[in-house]
Amino acid sequence: MSDEKKDLGDKAEDAFDKAKETAKDLGDKAEDAFENAKESAKEFSEDAKESAKEFSESAKKAANEFTAGAKEAFSGNGGENKKMLAGILAIILGSLGIHKFILGYQKEGIIMLVITLVIGFFTCGIGASAMGIVGLIEGIIYLTKSDEEFYNTYQVGKKPWF
């Protein structure tokens, strides 16, 4: 029986050694996987930072382009842009006189706004309707004139009505 016990002890010791080696191999594999995951996370982080930087730069570029376009549209230099902007605003929001403010006619814009809001309130919208028709007519006139004619009439000549 002692030989059997010795064989069983050797077998148990061999099994324990194999289990130790297997555990060590698993630990090494886990450590390698952890290192790979760390490297992947680091690469992903760097890629995300680079993508965010590129997005930031493109957003800044787009914002600068928009700002330049808006400045051109609202400045005195862009006659075509003022013509289109004033014409479209006159057709859509003509009763409020916004197109007059765009062209630099503050007094006429205030007159249209007061007629629309104050007199329109007391006349149940008749004043607002009248200013809406005036705005519609002016918008059509603005958009049908040539660029040169519009510039000479409304920006140089300062013709406030029709």
Side-chain angles (χ1 to χ4, degrees), residues 59-143:
K60 286 179 185 177
K61 182 180 176 185
N64 288 337
E65 290 173 358
F66 176 78
T67 301
K71 283 181 182 176
E72 183 180 322
F74 292 112
S75 71
N77 300 338
E80 169 65 21
N81 289 335
K82 273 196 174 182
K83 172 186 162 187
M84 291 296 291
L85 184 63
I88 291 170
L89 286 174
I91 291 171
I92 295 173
L93 300 170
S95 63
L96 298 175
I98 294 173
H99 60 287
K100 295 291 188 183
F101 292 108
I102 294 296
L103 293 174
Y105 304 132
Q106 280 74 23
K107 181 174 75 172
E108 290 80 5
I110 292 171
I111 290 170
M112 289 185 79
L113 192 59
V114 167
I115 290 173
T116 298
L117 297 178
V118 177
I119 297 176
F121 176 76
F122 290 114
T123 61
C124 297
I126 294 173
S129 298
M131 288 297 103
I133 292 170
V134 168
L136 178 67
I137 293 169
E138 286 183 337
I140 293 170
I141 291 171
Y142 293 165
L143 294 175

Side-chain angles (χ1 to χ4, degrees), residues 19-83:
K20 246 171 88 174
E21 286 179 31
T22 304
K24 184 179 179 187
D25 288 344
L26 286 175
D28 291 343
K29 287 180 182 178
E31 190 175 324
D32 290 343
F34 180 72
E35 290 298 322
N36 288 338
K38 263 175 53 173
E39 289 177 23
S40 295
K42 187 175 183 179
E43 290 174 7
F44 178 77
S45 172
E46 290 171 0
D47 289 345
K49 285 179 183 177
E50 184 65 30
S51 295
K53 184 177 179 181
E54 289 173 3
F55 177 76
S56 172
E57 289 171 1
S58 67
K60 286 179 185 177
K61 182 180 176 185
N64 288 337
E65 290 173 358
F66 176 78
T67 301
K71 283 181 182 176
E72 183 180 322
F74 292 112
S75 71
N77 300 338
E80 169 65 21
N81 289 335
K82 273 196 174 182
K83 172 186 162 187

